[in-house]
Amino acid sequence: MDRPPIIAKTPALLRVPPNAPLSFEESRRALAGLPGGGLNIAHEAVDRHAAGPRATRVAIRWRGAQGARRDVTYRELGALSNRFANVYRSLGVGKGDVVFVLCGRIPELYAAVLGGLKCGAAVSPLFAAFGPEPLKTRINLGHGKVLVTTEALYERKVSKVAGEMPTLAHVLKVDAAADRAKLDAASDRFAIERTTADDVSFLHFTSGTTGMPKGAQHVHGAAVMHYATGKVALDLHDEDVFWCTADPGWITGTSYGIVAPLLHGVTSVVDEAEFDAERWYGILEAEQVSVWYTAPTAIRMLMKAGVELAKRRTYPALRFIASVGEPLNPEAVWWGMDAFGMPIHDNWWQTETGGIMIANTAAMDVKPGSMGKPLPGIEAAIARRGEHGVRLIEHAEQQGELVLQAGWPSMFRGYLDQEERYRKCFADGWYFTGDLAKRDADGYYWFVGRADDVIKSAGHLIGPFEVESALMEHPAVAQAGVIGKPDPTLGEMVKAFVELKPGNEWSEELRLSILGHARKRLGAAVAPKEIAVSKALPRTRSGKIMRRLLKARELGLPEGDTSTLEESGE
Ligand code: 6R9
C-alpha cells in the first residue's frame, strides 16, 4: 500500500512558518547560564522567566481529574520550586543525593522536580501507576534519600514496602498538613546550587533484557538539546500552548512534559486524568492547544473512538502534532489528516538519548510509517557489530542496528553503578540503540523492531526480568517467562508463561491468583495481561529462559536458531 508522502505546506501558506534548523552552539547561546557561571536546568526553565517579561505568563495550566483547574505562572512556579528547594536543603539534600518524586500529574510535581534540580540533587520522577515493587526497586537502586509523594499514593503503594528502603531518610507528603506547613513556612527565595553542564540532573530508570532496571544518568547540559529539539522537532513558538500527554514518570513526560516547554517559556497543559477520548478532544479545543505531543497508543485509542468524535469540535489553534514511543502506523498518520487536517509527525528517541534524535519536522514532507530524519547535529547510521568492530551499512533499505555518533548534549552519561553495562553500549565512537531499523534512499529512517526482549506496551518500556521476578514470588510459580505479544491498541501486551511448582494444578482460580498477585506487586501498567501455563519453559543449556522462542511459538513463527536450546520434555 504505497501512498505518496504528505508534502509539507510551503511556509508562505502557513499562519506560523516552521522554525529554522538550529545548531547546538546557537541553542547554547539561547540559554542564560547561572549568574556567575554554571548551568542549571531549573534556572533556564523557570527562574530566568520568573525574573523577566514572562513572569506572569502561565507556565502550567492544570486540569484536575475531578474538574478543578489551576494556572501556575512562571513567577509562582519559581517561588514554589524555591520552597521545595529550601525544604530539601533543610533536610541536608545537595549534590550527590537523589530525590524521588511520586505524585501523579499535579502542579506540585513540577515544583518538587525543579526544586530538586535547584539544590543540586539528581531527580528521579516515578510513574504513579507503578505498584510497590517497581517503586521500591528504583528507590533502592538509586539510593534515594528523599521521596516526595501524596498521602494517597503513600498509603496505597509506599506503605507496603516502607521498611524496605534503607537509604530513604525522608518522605514528604505534599498534601499532608505537617509537610504543607513546612513548605508554606519555607522561604520562596533560593540561590541555586552552582551546577555545571556536566553535573547530574535526572536519573531515569529504563529496562533491559536482563536484570533489574538501569538508572540512566543525565546532566544539566541536556538543556541544550531540549531547547534545540523544542524548536526544531516540536516547532515551539513563543505564544504556543503545548500539551505533552506523557506522564513525567517516563522520560518523555520529563524532557518534553517539564523541561523543553518551560525552556521556551510557553504554556504547558497538564491533565491529571487518565486517557479519555471525549476529555482529550475537549482539552485540545478548550485550552487552544497549538502543539500537541502524544503517543501511538493514544492515537489508536482515539481512532477506535471514531473520527466523528474528533470532528464534533474545532481546533483552530492546533498547528502541529507529534508522536513518540512506539511505531506509528501509517494509518494513524493519515487519520491525523482526516481528524485534524494535518499529519501526525512521528519522532524517535529513547531514555538513553535524553532527547529527540530522529524526527519528521514541521518543514519536512512526511512519509507515513517513517520516523523521519536525524535532527541537525545528530549523526545516525545503520550498523552491525561484529568480531572485527563496527560495520556501517551504507546501502539504503538494509536492516541493521540503529546507531548514533556519541557526544550529543543530552546523551546519558552512565548507568548508575553499572559502568560495564554503559561501556558496552558504545563501540568505535557509536552508541548502539538496541533498535533495528533501516534508512531509505532519501535518508528517512524506518523502525524495524527491537534487537532485545524489552517490551513496549502503551508506550511504556517494560523489562521482562522485573515481571518474571515478581511472578516467581507467587507460591505456586517455579519459573516464569515474559514476552511482548502484538496488540492492536497497546502495540504490545505483556504476556507471561509460568511453570508451576510440583503439587500445583493449573486452574482458573490459580490463574486469577497469580494475576492478582502480579497486579498488586507491579501495578496495572506493568503486570501481565495474559498468563498461560507451560509444562517446561524453553531454556538454554545454561538455564536461561528463551523468551525469543516463547514468542515465536506464541505467534506461530519459525523458531529460528535453537542450537542452544536444552532438550526437555516439551
Ligand atoms: C522516548 C521513549 C525507547 C524505545 C526505543 C524504541 C521505541 C521510541 C519510537 C519507537 C518506533 C518510534 N520507540 N520511539 N519505536 N518508532 N517513533 O519512548 O523512550 O521509554 O526509553 O523507549 O521505544 O524501541 O528504543 P523509552
Side-chain angles (χ1 to χ4, degrees):
M1 192 177 37
D2 247 9
R3 290 227 230 160
I6 300 167
I7 307 296
K9 292 201 178 104
T10 51
L13 290 175
L14 291 169
R15 187 165 33 96
V16 183
N19 285 319
L22 128 143
S23 69
F24 294 144
E25 204 31 59
E26 286 167 307
S27 263
R28 209 164 272 130
R29 280 203 298 272
L31 302 179
L34 283 173
L39 184 71
N40 187 290
I41 290 176
H43 178 76
E44 304 302 327
V46 188
D47 286 13
R48 71 177 167 134
H49 300 315
R54 286 190 177 86
T56 56
R57 183 179 282 192
V58 175
I60 306 277
R61 171 150 292 169
W62 181 69
R63 304 262 310 227
Q66 311 304 329
R69 308 171 67 95
R70 194 170 143 198
D71 278 353
V72 183
T73 64
Y74 277 92
R75 180 178 290 150
E76 288 164 346
L77 188 58
L80 189 56
S81 54
N82 284 345
R83 292 184 191 278
F84 272 97
N86 279 310
V87 171
Y88 296 146
R89 191 170 272 171
S90 75
L91 301 175
V93 174
K95 272 191 195 175
D97 292 324
V98 182
V99 172
F100 280 87
V101 183
L102 169 74
C103 284
R105 291 179 297 275
I106 56 172
E108 284 74 12
L109 173 141
Y110 297 79
V113 166
L114 293 160
L117 297 176
K118 285 183 171 182
C119 70
V123 179
S124 189
L126 292 164
F127 191 33
F130 277 155
E133 200 64 33
L135 296 173
K136 178 185 86 177
T137 299
R138 285 158 180 75
I139 291 170
N140 283 341
L141 286 171
H143 319 292
K145 181 167 181 175
V146 177
L147 172 67
V148 183
T149 186
T150 63
E151 285 195 297
L153 285 169
Y154 187 86
E155 223 23 71
R156 274 196 356 249
K157 319 237 168 180
V158 186
S159 68
K160 308 281 190 285
V161 287
E164 303 166 35
M165 295 173 287
T167 62
L168 198 59
H170 309 280
V171 176
L172 208 63
K173 298 176 200 154
V174 296
D175 50 355
D179 290 332
R180 243 319 1 133
K182 256 189 227 161
L183 284 165
D184 289 344
S187 165
D188 63 2
R189 301 177 69 85
F190 186 85
I192 292 183
E193 183 74 31
R194 186 166 306 285
T195 46
T196 72
D198 294 316
D199 281 327
V200 176
S201 55
F202 287 102
L203 181 66
H204 283 293
F205 284 89
T206 184
S207 299
T209 297
T210 55
M212 282 301 172
K214 308 167 276 187
Q217 295 169 298
H218 289 275
V219 294
H220 284 276
V224 172
M225 192 79 212
H226 296 140
Y227 185 87
T229 50
K231 242 192 160 53
V232 182
L234 300 177
D235 199 40
L236 289 177
H237 285 67
D238 197 40
E239 299 296 325
D240 274 322
V241 176
F242 174 68
W243 185 23
C244 170
T245 61
D247 187 276
W250 301 94
I251 195 159
T252 306
T254 304
S255 291
Y256 296 98
I258 305 180
V259 181
L262 296 178
L263 287 178
H264 284 276
V266 302
T267 295
S268 232
V269 173
V270 173
D271 183 24
E272 186 189 21
E274 292 314 310
F275 175 86
D276 175 86
E278 284 234 43
R279 181 180 174 97
W280 278 33
Y281 290 129
I283 290 176
L284 286 172
E285 181 179 56
E287 306 304 344
Q288 298 171 44
V289 172
S290 53
V291 178
W292 185 34
Y293 195 21
T294 188
T297 292
I299 294 164
R300 289 191 292 262
M301 292 196 287
L302 291 175
M303 289 167 75
K304 243 183 169 168
V307 79
E308 304 73 36
L309 196 62
K311 289 184 171 170
R312 254 182 239 164
R313 299 173 186 271
T314 56
Y315 316 94
L318 192 60
R319 198 184 81 238
F320 188 73
I321 310 176
S323 158
V324 71
E326 323 149 56
L328 183 68
N329 329 42
E331 297 74 27
V333 178
W334 288 312
W335 174 84
M337 297 295 286
D338 195 8
F340 301 107
M342 64 195 89
I344 317 267
H345 295 74
D346 190 16
N347 59 52
W348 178 96
W349 57 291
Q350 51 181 199
T351 301
E352 287 83 347
T353 73
I356 302 170
M357 299 281 111
I358 296 179
N360 290 284
T361 69
M364 275 166 63
D365 299 342
V366 173
K367 294 194 190 188
S370 159
M371 310 188 285
K373 295 184 188 184
L375 288 171
I378 299 300
E379 174 124 26
I382 302 294
R384 286 207 190 115
R385 189 156 30 173
E387 282 162 24
H388 307 292
V390 176
R391 190 164 60 80
L392 296 187
I393 300 171
E394 306 292 347
H395 286 291
E397 304 295 350
Q398 282 203 28
Q399 179 178 320
E401 191 166 341
L402 174 63
V403 299
L404 303 163
Q405 198 158 81
W408 66 93
S410 63
M411 189 177 89
F412 72 133
R413 300 303 162 88
Y415 287 131
L416 183 65
D417 300 332
Q418 299 193 65
E419 182 56 30
E420 179 61 19
R421 232 171 157 178
Y422 181 69
R423 272 199 308 111
K424 278 194 180 149
C425 298
F426 299 87
D428 292 356
W430 294 95
Y431 163 68
F432 280 70
T433 66
D435 278 1
L436 302 175
K438 51 192 184 178
R439 182 184 57 237
D440 69 16
D442 299 325
Y444 283 72
Y445 280 74
W446 300 74
F447 182 79
V448 173
R450 293 280 311 187
D452 57 20
D453 292 338
V454 166
I455 300 162
K456 253 289 158 122
S457 187
H460 304 142
L461 200 67
I462 296 171
F465 181 80
E466 205 175 359
V467 181
E468 289 159 2
S469 305
L471 288 169
M472 281 160 64
E473 285 172 13
H474 188 282
V477 176
Q479 274 290 348
V482 167
I483 62 161
K485 174 180 168 182
D487 178 89
T489 306
L490 300 173
E492 289 185 309
M493 71 141 96
V494 179
K495 170 149 193 176
F497 296 87
V498 294
E499 205 178 289
L500 299 180
K501 283 185 183 154
N504 291 283
E505 279 287 327
W506 187 243
S507 65
E508 182 56 11
E509 201 185 335
L510 182 54
R511 191 184 67 83
L512 291 174
S513 156
I514 300 173
L515 207 60
H517 162 84
R519 289 214 182 116
K520 209 164 91 206
R521 301 299 287 168
L522 296 167
V526 182
K529 298 254 183 302
E530 280 183 13
I531 300 188
V533 73
S534 164
K535 277 208 199 69
L537 292 166
R539 283 188 183 73
T540 62
R541 284 192 202 100
S542 59
K544 270 198 226 145
I545 306 286
M546 293 180 81
R547 302 187 191 109
R548 186 175 51 77
L549 206 59
L550 275 175
K551 191 161 176 171
R553 288 177 184 172
E554 172 73 18
L555 304 181
L557 296 172
E559 296 198 351
D561 179 11
T562 55
S563 58
T564 57
L565 180 68
E566 183 199 44
E567 295 306 327
S568 74
E570 206 178 53

